[in-house]
Amino acid sequence: MKVNWLAVVVSLFSSISVIVQAQVYPSTGTGWVLPGGWEAPLTTSALDSANDVKRWEAQHADIVFGSMQDKVMNKKLISMGYMYSQKLDCKPGKPTAWLSKQSALTGLDLEDLYLHFSEDTQLEAASISQGVSYLLEGSPFHVILIRNGNYATARFPLTVQPNDELVVLSSYPSNSLVIAADIAPKVQQAIALSSPSEGIAQWKPIHSDWQHDQGEWQGSLDIQYPWQSSSARIEGRELNTGKQALSDGLQVWVLKLNWQANSKVERVAFKPWLNYQDQRLVIPGWDSVNDRNQDGVVSDQEFYSRKNFKASARFRHQARLIPAGHMWPGTCWYRLNFGNKLLNDLHAKWYRYDWEQQGLSGAYNDDMAKLLGNNQFTVEAGGQLQELPFKAGNDEASLYYAKQMADFLALVKTYTQTHWLAANISDLNLWHYDGWPQALRDVVDVWLREHYLSPAMGLDRLYRYWDNFALASQGDKSLIMVSMKGGRSQVTPLLSTAWHQDIETGLALYYLFNIPQRTYYHSWNAGFYYGSGNTTDKNWYRQGVPKNWVYQPSAMLKVDIGQPTIAPKGHRIVYWRNKTNDVDIKAKTSSTMLGDISVAPANWFWLYRSGWGSDFPRHGVIARQYSKGLVVYRAMNEPNNTAFMQTKPLRVSLPGDYRRVMPDGTLGASTRYLELGGYEGVVLKKVE
């Protein structure tokens, strides 16, 4: 007989891989999502301190989406830190600081890392994130008071004396100041040493044209060195500001203000370039033809005689893209440019540096569907991009940008050598989403399926949830989150049995989707705020116990039900359904193909179904056999039907002798039948 030695080697390697990838529980891998904020338990004696909770978490999961905030712990797990590669925060943080410092050292213009509007653009924004107020108010990044040689953070209002100086630090240049003070100050600009990272060498006076209006001084500055930035060091002294970004090397644009007489100063700000009113944000466009002398700023003279009146930005940074109305509460983001090779390299190196510092194996990219489409930019006027031949707010721009993003993420993988690049896609079916190109799907190794399963999800969703098995077929891994949303605990939140039954049903549902070495289980409440803190009366039946500790059914997980196997003989196979506007394709869950899409077999079968005239019955009990157990789930088509939760229990026969796995990990009596309520799932251990 001819031996296929390649197949033998591959088989042996696969076996070895399974052995070395040890996991906490026998029948599935488990994971956490954004752990942190550990607290000492208040109403349990099982764990005494916040450190006990943290150690317990480190011992009861295989992977982490986020970080354990401990390098040693991270390295013992597969920890995928948080990343959002398509944005940087408007208020600079650690990534911006690192990129700023490194670009200055290598002579790159960090402004090329941002996307810009080339024309004045009006975006619809029914509400504006509070984080944008940093820009709308023209707030400096930091202000320092120098008095008698001592440096301190300026606290407004304050009274300055003739020998006092206010040092104003900003992450961007400006040619217009707004000062609420008794009298107007004199202004000087910081000039950097030969290497910007070495700090400020000298100060140059700036001519300031001050106008007094409504109790404030409006100052037009004659900027001679518009992009002269440096690290926050004066005379070799690092400024102790409490701002981590400054300590990390953020390159700042610095002014110094002083007064000839005592003056009360209530506010120091830059004149904002953004305008938000009537639920619309106007962002000025940048066109370099308006900057006739190419010094980086459109002066007053250049502005009023500019060649392109559709672009009114004085500085290029003022034209950066902000997805107004589509950001998380309290945030402000700039959309990044993936078209500059040198800065892409630098940006990828940031992730290598950051992951090494934290002991991470990789990271997961959040909101990967939020790019340049109308789910991020609702353009009412303008919208033309400077770096791309498109306008923001349409599918064409978003798809092109997604392909660029895929190339960038591939570069990150090259620099970091990770096989744990992840993405959060919730229940998005990538085969149904036109805005996600094949290249972007191919570059991701791990998928975070946020709130993918829920106790009362119903049959119709199960029929359509084949994409998990399609991702596994192409070699990808997934963390599948089971949420309690819509379950019994939402109907009777103070009833302990309701919470435990939701968790039990959730685990049974997960075991329908479990694929060894490909999927990881996470159990959570109905909300989207993650962490390791204690429960409240809104997310558990009692307060003061660690959330991950109570949500994970660790006692049930310890029961070995083996690995998924084929369906027992004599039972009808459940069908997948791939239904779109154009097609309606079906295939048995034991198949390896759904139309032209490769899928890993799930081998679901029916223990009971209503009627035999349809491949997609309206009511039934779905099961999946394991080598040492069985999982079952009873549901109707419709999700979250509270009346169905109260329906009369249904007795179903089992394909053998089984014992029910209880929430505390004990086993019930041996039985050949089971009584199931509406939206109820059960995990069973086979009687050997």
Side-chain angles (χ1 to χ4, degrees), residues 476-595:
D476 290 356
K477 299 177 175 64
S478 298
L479 180 137
I480 297 176
M481 182 186 292
V482 183
S483 165
M484 298 178 215
K485 186 176 183 180
R488 286 172 168 79
S489 61
Q490 305 299 291
V491 179
T492 53
L494 298 180
L495 192 62
S496 63
T497 55
W499 287 95
H500 288 296
Q501 188 170 351
D502 279 350
I503 292 175
E504 182 183 0
T505 296
L507 180 59
L509 272 169
Y510 168 78
Y511 274 138
L512 288 177
F513 288 82
N514 177 37
I515 303 168
Q517 305 301 319
R518 288 285 178 264
T519 60
Y520 298 86
Y521 165 72
H522 181 237
S523 177
W524 192 246
N525 60 45
F528 287 85
Y529 292 95
Y530 308 113
S532 305
N534 290 332
T535 58
T536 68
D537 55 6
K538 294 181 179 179
N539 52 40
W540 192 242
Y541 64 89
R542 61 175 176 150
Q543 304 178 43
V545 289
K547 284 181 282 193
N548 281 326
W549 183 67
V550 292
Y551 297 152
Q552 186 191 85
S554 53
M556 294 184 72
L557 287 165
K558 289 177 182 177
V559 178
D560 185 2
I561 63 169
Q563 305 295 310
T565 64
I566 60 174
K569 293 181 179 180
H571 288 79
R572 296 284 293 272
I573 302 297
V574 177
Y575 276 81
W576 293 129
R577 190 171 201 175
N578 182 14
K579 187 177 182 180
T580 64
N581 293 332
D582 302 324
V583 297
D584 189 357
I585 301 171
K586 67 179 183 179
K588 290 183 177 181
T589 59
S590 56
S591 304
T592 58
M593 296 295 294
L594 176 61

Side-chain angles (χ1 to χ4, degrees), residues 468-476 515 518 592 598-600:
N468 171 68
F469 295 89
L471 290 170
S473 179
Q474 67 183 31
D476 290 356
I515 303 168
R518 288 285 178 264
T592 58
S598 175
V599 291

Side-chain angles (χ1 to χ4, degrees), residues 148 157 201 220 229 233 277 281 380 411 481 493 552:
N148 299 325
S220 179
S229 62
R233 300 173 68 89
Q277 58 183 351
L281 181 70
E380 293 192 341
L411 184 66
M481 182 186 292
Q552 186 191 85

Side-chain angles (χ1 to χ4, degrees), residues 68 70 79 107 137-138 172 231 239 485 569 578 586 592 603:
M68 296 302 293
D70 181 292
S79 297
E137 296 169 4
Y172 51 80
S231 62
L239 303 181
K485 186 176 183 180
K569 293 181 179 180
N578 182 14
K586 67 179 183 179
T592 58
N603 293 306

Side-chain angles (χ1 to χ4, degrees), residues 204-225:
K204 291 283 188 181
I206 295 178
H207 174 72
S208 310
D209 183 13
W210 293 104
Q211 303 293 325
H212 197 255
D213 182 37
Q214 296 182 347
E216 293 185 329
W217 294 96
Q218 308 280 337
S220 179
L221 309 179
D222 184 15
I223 301 296
Q224 300 297 315
Y225 309 95

Side-chain angles (χ1 to χ4, degrees), residues 286-550:
W286 169 260
D287 191 335
S288 61
V289 301
N290 292 336
D291 179 17
R292 295 185 181 181
N293 63 0
Q294 297 297 296
D295 66 347
V297 58
V298 176
S299 66
D300 287 348
Q301 182 179 1
E302 290 172 332
F303 182 80
Y304 292 113
S305 61
R306 62 191 188 275
K307 293 182 179 180
N308 182 359
F309 275 86
K310 292 184 177 180
S312 60
R314 295 300 191 99
F315 297 89
R316 191 176 170 209
H317 73 87
Q318 296 175 347
R320 294 176 188 172
L321 270 65
I322 300 173
H326 299 282
M327 295 178 289
W328 303 337
T331 63
C332 180
W333 303 332
Y334 292 128
R335 189 63 77 236
L336 297 189
N337 172 29
F338 293 121
N340 186 298
K341 182 182 183 305
L342 294 178
L343 281 166
N344 278 347
D345 286 343
L346 187 64
H347 193 189
K349 289 175 182 176
W350 151 253
Y351 289 111
R352 181 178 64 188
Y353 167 81
D354 186 48
W355 299 354
E356 287 175 351
Q357 293 296 304
Q358 297 187 60
L360 301 174
S361 302
Y364 82 95
N365 205 110
D366 209 358
D367 286 343
M368 286 184 70
K370 295 182 178 180
L371 302 174
L372 291 181
N374 59 12
N375 66 340
Q376 290 289 277
F377 297 91
T378 307
V379 179
E380 293 192 341
Q384 181 60 50
L385 302 173
Q386 185 181 76
E387 289 79 10
L388 299 175
F390 303 103
K391 289 193 173 187
N394 60 70
D395 292 341
E396 188 179 24
S398 192
L399 187 62
Y400 187 92
Y401 188 67
K403 292 177 180 176
Q404 286 189 320
M405 185 176 177
D407 290 340
F408 172 71
L409 292 175
L411 184 66
V412 171
K413 293 179 72 172
T414 298
Y415 273 107
T416 62
Q417 292 296 294
T418 186
H419 298 290
W420 295 92
L421 184 70
N424 177 10
I425 59 168
S426 191
D427 62 353
L428 180 69
N429 186 320
L430 299 181
W431 284 264
H432 289 175
Y433 182 59
D434 294 335
W436 201 298
Q438 178 73 33
L440 201 52
R441 191 169 75 211
D442 289 346
V443 77
V444 174
D445 309 300
V446 191
W447 304 92
L448 173 55
R449 312 310 303 268
E450 203 175 16
H451 293 250
Y452 190 66
L453 307 177
S454 58
M457 62 187 295
L459 294 177
D460 186 60
R461 282 172 65 186
L462 287 177
Y463 299 146
R464 295 182 288 108
Y465 270 24
W466 48 265
D467 62 325
N468 171 68
F469 295 89
L471 290 170
S473 179
Q474 67 183 31
D476 290 356
K477 299 177 175 64
S478 298
L479 180 137
I480 297 176
M481 182 186 292
V482 183
S483 165
M484 298 178 215
K485 186 176 183 180
R488 286 172 168 79
S489 61
Q490 305 299 291
V491 179
T492 53
L494 298 180
L495 192 62
S496 63
T497 55
W499 287 95
H500 288 296
Q501 188 170 351
D502 279 350
I503 292 175
E504 182 183 0
T505 296
L507 180 59
L509 272 169
Y510 168 78
Y511 274 138
L512 288 177
F513 288 82
N514 177 37
I515 303 168
Q517 305 301 319
R518 288 285 178 264
T519 60
Y520 298 86
Y521 165 72
H522 181 237
S523 177
W524 192 246
N525 60 45
F528 287 85
Y529 292 95
Y530 308 113
S532 305
N534 290 332
T535 58
T536 68
D537 55 6
K538 294 181 179 179
N539 52 40
W540 192 242
Y541 64 89
R542 61 175 176 150
Q543 304 178 43
V545 289
K547 284 181 282 193
N548 281 326
W549 183 67
V550 292

Side-chain angles (χ1 to χ4, degrees), residues 2 6 55 110 180 226 250 255 319 368 419 448 557 661 672-673:
K2 184 177 180 181
L6 178 60
R55 282 192 292 268
L110 189 63
L250 178 70
L255 296 177
M368 286 184 70
H419 298 290
L448 173 55
L557 287 165
V661 181
R672 282 190 167 234
Y673 68 87

